[in-house]
Amino acid sequence: MKRFTRTITAAPEDIDELGHVNNAVWVRWIQDVAVAHWAAVAPPEHRDAYVWVVTRHEIDYRGNVVAGETVTAETWVPEPPKGARFDRHMRFTGADGRVKVEAVSTWAMIDRATGRLVRVRPEIAAPFMGDA
């Protein structure tokens, strides 16, 4: 599977009343990294024709991140799509090497012109599959 990484530094506005990154911010980061992955590897004709929506998030919080702390986000798609959907895995690791958050999100592909779910064809999935 091909992996995509992005570094993120927690800003003061990402922090909740407990002094660490808010759960809603983690969800935003999951989406931001997934969208960046799509933008980085999908050809323009695919980006123009399709958009992805999340149908499910499963998130395990394993550690806290405070303002100014940097994490490395890593995402990958371990299995081929099933119809219009696929599961995307995500891991956020701190500078200390410890996993802070792990997630699996189910994404569905929508045809921009019709607004309908469409099957993910092999040529659309190909940039995300295979050896890293």
Side-chain angles (χ1 to χ4, degrees):
M1 70 204 92
K2 296 180 181 180
R3 293 180 185 249
F4 178 82
T5 61
R6 167 92 17 124
T7 302
I8 301 169
T9 301
E13 60 270 18
D14 297 328
I15 306 305
D16 63 17
E17 63 274 9
L18 297 174
H20 53 70
V21 172
N22 184 279
N23 292 358
V25 172
W26 287 108
V27 172
R28 186 183 79 225
W29 288 355
I30 289 166
Q31 177 152 334
D32 290 349
V33 172
V35 170
H37 188 197
W38 170 250
V41 303
E45 62 272 16
H46 292 169
R47 293 192 312 264
D48 292 343
Y50 308 108
V51 64
W52 294 92
V53 296
V54 173
T55 63
R56 182 174 189 273
H57 283 301
E58 180 180 331
I59 304 172
D60 294 314
Y61 299 97
R62 306 205 183 281
N64 296 320
V65 172
V66 299
E69 190 173 347
T70 298
V71 293
T72 298
E74 179 183 27
T75 187
W76 64 97
V77 179
E79 302 288 330
K82 293 179 178 120
R85 293 175 174 80
F86 72 88
D87 288 339
R88 171 182 290 282
H89 290 239
M90 187 89 50
R91 180 181 300 128
F92 294 87
T93 306
D96 61 1
R98 294 184 179 190
V99 173
K100 305 298 182 176
V101 167
E102 289 183 294
V104 178
S105 295
T106 303
W107 292 77
M109 192 171 75
I110 306 285
D111 182 289
R112 286 184 189 271
T114 66
R116 302 182 110 196
L117 287 173
V118 291
R119 180 175 299 280
V120 182
R121 295 185 320 273
E123 67 271 18
I124 296 169
F128 302 93
M129 308 306 300
D131 294 329

